[in-house]
Structure formats: C-alpha cells, structure tokens
Amino acid sequence: MDRFDLLIVGGGPIGIACGLEAQKKGLSYVIIEKGPIVNSLFNYPVNMQFFSSSERLEIDDIPFISNEAKPKRNESLEYYRRIVTSNKLKLHLFEKVETIENRREDFKVTTSKNTYTASNITIATGFYDLPNLLEVPGEELTKVSHYYKDPHYYAGQKLAVIGASNSAIDAALECWRKGAEVTLIIRGPEVGKRVKYWVRPDIMNRIEEGSIKAYYNTSVKEIREKEIELETPEGKIILKNDFVLALTGYTPNFEFLENVGIELSKDEKKLPNYNPETMETNIKGIYLAGVICGGMETHKWFIENSRVHAKIIVENILRKKESEISN
C-alpha cells in the first residue's frame, strides 16, 4: 500500500498547483484524477474562451503564452498538460477516489484502482460534475444534455438553450452561427449580469433583431420527443424542438464532502468548514483548495484567486511536520 505525505483529490489546475508545491518542498505526494488531465477544462465547450487573461491562469509563476489576452480552451489544455509532463508530476489519471477513511494517525484512501495511505488530504474537486437538474418530465430523454461541446452537432436543428449565464449564452450564439434555430429560455427577467462583457452586446443584438428568440421569466414544464412545453408570463406555450441544452449550472459533490466528515453550513450556501489561514477543514489533516471552498457560491473562487491555496496548504503541512519532529 503506497503511503504519502499528501494525497490530492482532483487533477485540475489547483490540484496540479498543489502537486507542484508539494514536489518543490520535498513532500511525497500523489494526485488522483477521475478523468484526463484537467478533466473539467477538457469538458468545456471546444471554442470556449476564458474570462481571465492568461497571466491570471498561471500557476507556480510558469508563463502562460496565448494568442489573445484571454486564452481559449485548447491553449489551457496545452499549458496545464505541459506543466504536468515537464515537471513529471505524480498524477494518476482515470482513477476515481471512492472513500476516505480517517484512521486518526493517517487516512486510508480507496480508489477505483488502488488503496493508499496519506498523512494529509487535499480536496480540489471543483464543481463541474453535478448539473443542476430541471426536475421536469422528459429531462431523461437522450435529446437533453447538461453539457455543451460543439455547435456543429446542432446545425439545422430546433434547439432550446436553457439558462442565462456564460455557458448558455455562448452556446446559443455559437449554435445559431452554425445554423441552429435557437430559442433561449431564461428563468429571470434578463440575461445574466455575469455574462462576459464582450459577449453581452452580441446576444442582446441577436435577440433584438429576432435571430434568437428569447423567453424571459419562463420555466420549462415538460420536454417531449418533438416539442417542449413552457410556462411564460403570457401562459403556456408549446414549441417544436429537436434538442435541449439545459445549461443551468453545476454544484460541488457535497455528498462526498459529508461522507469524509467535513461540516457544511446549514443554509442554502452549504459552505464547508475550513480555516482560511491554513485551508484545513474541521477534520485535522484534510484541506480544501479551489472552487470547492465556496460551497454553492461557485462564482466566488476561480483559478486566479485560489492558486495561492497550494502554498498555504503545503506550508501548513510542513509546519506540522517540523512541530512533530521537535516534539
């Protein structure tokens, strides 16, 4: 059974940053990732462009050079992949962490492929795994997806895009430009306030000219094979429909955190219990890093403002090791 000073759950940018810092400071470590390198970024839309500039996505002061100020998905995949390979990070891919057992003196971690022991755990799992479901009849149909990849797939089709944030707006515009007949369904009174500033005028112009039909203050009541039923301020309407992109956001895996023993706030924010000065949770030896720290407030933490978590965590582990040696 392999034993490490630090086992990192999640091989995204922040998990990689934690591995880099551990390696630099001489800690034995391993990163466990259930998919490919930076799995969440890999599953982003093929044409996705970041809101942040490239230097704000850098980790460990390794330069990120992109063609434009704001890099695209393929450039970010290249950047983080090269960091992993160039630094020979100990990263186990396509391996899912199933259980973490607190044995007081250490942790026993069981995955889909192996069993490990570690003195410390960092959970850096992000929030892209569990979509917010509509919970309406027909959501289970194969025509419905909560993830958007490539606009070509929807060319010539009647496509309903549900949502008002960046992912939904980007998908609506891209699919319309590739020949889809796009209907945008928004629960609130307007396009989301956090939509990228250079994208907002584009979507508003398309809506105003009628190229993309938008229904505001509208909810989906039922999805059927060839149509979709909406509840609008003017009453019920039924639209012909071939595909549905329900891009209504995602949530962290709170069940995983609770099974580990991490306390969550009782309100709707579900904020995990951790010390921001050390990133250690209520379970001694278990740390959080990245967007998972924000609970349901998934817009609070990004790569650019959470990459510092890696240094904080490793420094705390080193202090504890020094204290144990001196005692």
Side-chain angles (χ1 to χ4, degrees):
M1 187 183 299
D2 294 330
R3 182 180 179 84
F4 300 95
D5 293 321
L6 174 62
L7 184 144
I8 301 156
V9 185
I14 303 305
I16 290 171
C18 290
L20 273 173
E21 190 65 20
Q23 183 167 281
K24 236 175 21 172
K25 296 299 174 65
L27 295 177
S28 62
Y29 74 95
V30 65
I31 307 169
I32 307 295
E33 168 55 58
K34 71 175 186 178
I37 299 169
V38 290
N39 180 59
S40 292
L41 300 190
F42 174 77
N43 286 309
Y44 281 177
V46 291
N47 299 320
M48 182 269 207
Q49 187 170 27
F50 283 86
F51 192 93
S52 301
S53 56
S54 56
E55 67 268 17
R56 291 181 175 272
L57 300 177
E58 293 173 355
I59 55 177
D60 200 40
D61 297 322
I62 299 171
F64 185 172
I65 308 301
S66 58
N67 291 326
E68 301 176 48
K70 301 178 190 303
K72 295 188 176 180
R73 167 188 173 273
N74 64 321
E75 293 174 311
S76 71
L77 294 180
E78 178 73 15
Y79 174 71
Y80 295 115
R81 182 175 67 249
R82 289 298 300 273
I83 287 177
V84 169
T85 56
S86 297
N87 290 279
K88 297 181 173 57
L89 292 185
K90 191 173 183 62
L91 174 59
H92 294 184
L93 301 172
F94 300 99
E95 183 173 349
K96 184 178 181 180
V97 173
E98 295 176 340
T99 61
I100 298 176
E101 180 186 345
N102 186 351
R103 303 194 298 189
R104 295 191 181 277
E105 73 279 3
D106 62 16
F107 299 94
K108 177 182 177 183
V109 181
T110 303
T111 74
S112 55
K113 295 182 177 180
N114 210 339
T115 302
Y116 307 88
T117 59
S119 301
N120 301 278
I121 305 287
T122 292
I123 299 174
T125 49
F127 73 104
Y128 201 55
D129 293 335
L130 301 175
N132 294 322
L133 299 180
L134 301 172
E135 297 183 343
V136 299
E139 189 171 14
E140 74 286 351
L141 294 173
T142 56
K143 65 183 274 187
V144 180
S145 177
H146 293 278
Y147 295 91
Y148 164 65
K149 197 73 174 176
D150 193 316
H152 174 83
Y153 187 79
Y154 302 102
Q157 301 297 293
K158 297 181 186 300
L159 172 66
V161 179
I162 305 168
S165 297
N166 280 298
S167 57
I169 301 307
D170 284 346
L173 287 167
E174 288 185 6
C175 291
W176 170 72
R177 289 198 162 91
K178 297 302 182 184
E181 182 182 325
V182 177
T183 300
L184 190 57
I185 301 164
I186 296 175
R187 184 174 57 183
E190 60 180 344
V191 170
K193 295 184 182 299
R194 296 192 185 94
V195 168
K196 291 170 280 196
Y197 66 84
W198 65 92
V199 173
R200 176 179 282 276
D202 191 1
I203 188 64
M204 298 312 299
N205 288 336
R206 303 294 76 76
I207 291 171
E208 288 174 11
E209 72 186 14
S211 298
I212 293 175
K213 174 66 176 177
Y215 289 92
Y216 298 106
N217 298 305
T218 295
S219 60
V220 177
K221 305 308 290 183
E222 186 174 355
I223 301 169
R224 298 188 277 271
E225 286 289 352
K226 288 296 179 181
E227 57 190 24
I228 182 170
E229 183 178 321
L230 308 179
E231 187 64 49
T232 76
E234 289 73 39
K236 182 180 75 174
I237 64 169
I238 295 176
L239 303 177
K240 291 182 179 179
N241 173 262
D242 297 308
F243 290 98
V244 175
L245 280 173
L247 304 179
T248 51
Y250 309 90
T251 60
N253 190 339
F254 294 116
E255 183 180 1
F256 178 76
L257 295 182
E258 289 178 318
N259 286 342
V260 172
I262 297 172
E263 298 171 352
L264 304 177
S265 66
K266 302 301 181 183
D267 56 20
E268 60 184 17
K269 294 181 180 180
K270 294 188 175 181
L271 296 171
N273 183 348
Y274 73 96
N275 180 350
E277 294 183 359
T278 63
M279 307 309 296
E280 193 170 28
T281 68
N282 58 285
I283 305 295
K284 184 179 179 182
I286 296 187
Y287 300 82
L288 298 182
V291 70
I292 194 75
C293 300
M296 286 298 292
E297 296 181 315
T298 52
H299 60 277
K300 184 175 181 180
W301 292 103
F302 305 95
I303 297 170
E304 62 187 71
N305 66 351
S306 63
R307 51 191 175 177
V308 67
H309 293 170
K311 293 182 183 296
I312 295 173
I313 291 168
V314 171
E315 285 174 3
N316 186 253
I317 292 172
L318 289 172
R319 282 197 300 270
K320 290 197 296 185
K321 287 190 73 172
E322 290 171 1
S323 176
E324 290 171 2
I325 293 172
S326 61
N327 292 334

